[in-house]
Amino acid sequence: MKFSRGVILAILIVVTATAGFSISGADAQKSEISGWEYHVLNLHDGNISGIEETWLPELNKAGADGWEAVGIAPFENRGNTQGLRVLLKRPKR
């Protein structure tokens, strides 16, 4: 399935809004954090049927586990976007 740039932009907005992205909160935590761990969440074509029904629960679960979305990128095969990769980070445990 090929995603238009508008769809990818809309998903980026949703991911950022639902992940609780806060620049001021991130700045306040910097002085207390000794390091980060990272995770990549792959949201692929099989999950595209309904963003709110499939992707948001995955993102909310990650958020409940302390992960924060910090980046998003499409992954492609032969020029067709197959899904999205969401880069997550949280303080080292």
Side-chain angles (χ1 to χ4, degrees):
M1 170 178 275
K2 186 169 183 164
F3 299 104
S4 70
R5 291 184 193 269
V7 168
I8 293 172
L9 179 60
I11 292 169
L12 174 60
I13 291 167
V14 169
V15 167
T16 303
T18 60
F21 185 82
S22 170
I23 293 173
S24 61
D27 287 342
Q29 290 179 342
K30 279 183 187 177
S31 62
E32 301 171 16
I33 296 172
S34 62
W36 299 100
E37 58 181 323
Y38 297 91
H39 177 66
V40 176
L41 181 61
N42 290 307
L43 304 174
H44 55 82
D45 199 9
N47 293 342
I48 192 63
S49 61
I51 292 171
E52 290 183 9
E53 294 145 10
T54 56
W55 291 10
L56 292 183
E58 289 185 57
L59 292 166
N60 285 329
K61 181 179 181 308
D65 290 337
W67 293 104
E68 176 182 1
V70 295
I72 187 169
F75 57 93
E76 298 182 352
N77 183 13
R78 298 182 186 165
N80 293 320
T81 302
Q82 300 295 308
L84 299 171
R85 287 191 174 106
V86 181
L87 177 62
L88 306 169
K89 77 173 187 178
R90 70 178 176 191
K92 275 191 179 178
R93 295 184 173 182

